Amino acid sequence: WLCQWKENINNQDKYMQLAAQSSFKGKSDKSKYNKAALLCDNIDKIRASYKKKLKSKSSDERQLATAMWVIDRLALRVGGEKDTDEEADTVGCCSLRVEHLHFD
């Protein structure tokens, strides 16, 4: 978002964002696409690295490798913290909790 202000009637936070068709946003999207294209050149190395770390003796390395596996194999977004009052009820790898998982 570009700016934030308190709305004076309901005292809620309001945000100004770029329009989807703005040239500035288009440049940002193109940059993300180019970065993703570069990822394709290294994906085999990345996968080999996290598969090796899944067997590590270090708990931290195993946790990171598991998160990378989830993002890669399940196409889950990274995610992050957000205001649950304002945003849709979605989760990513960083906000995933036990209650979100169900195995048959």
Side-chain angles (χ1 to χ4, degrees), residues 25 43 61:
K25 180 153 178 27
I43 194 66
E61 282 194 0

Side-chain angles (χ1 to χ4, degrees), residues 13-98:
D13 289 328
K14 297 294 181 178
Y15 302 91
M16 180 183 293
Q17 299 178 347
L18 292 170
Q21 66 274 19
S22 80
S23 64
F24 184 76
K25 180 153 178 27
K27 289 176 186 174
S28 172
D29 290 347
K30 184 177 180 182
S31 173
K32 287 179 191 177
Y33 175 82
N34 289 337
K35 187 179 279 190
L38 290 174
L39 178 64
C40 289
D41 295 337
N42 295 296
I43 194 66
D44 291 332
K45 292 180 211 169
I46 294 167
R47 286 179 175 152
S49 173
Y50 76 66
K51 285 178 183 177
K52 181 180 176 184
K53 289 179 181 180
L54 282 169
K55 299 173 185 172
S56 173
K57 291 182 180 182
S58 165
S59 166
D60 289 345
E61 282 194 0
R62 287 193 315 272
Q63 288 177 15
L64 178 59
T66 301
M68 291 174 66
W69 181 88
V70 167
I71 291 166
D72 182 30
R73 295 301 180 189
L74 303 180
L76 190 67
R77 64 185 184 82
V78 173
E81 297 296 319
K82 59 184 172 181
D83 182 359
T84 55
D85 294 336
E86 298 283 328
E87 308 229 7
D89 187 24
T90 61
V91 297
C93 190
C94 293
S95 54
L96 197 61
R97 295 187 306 270
V98 172

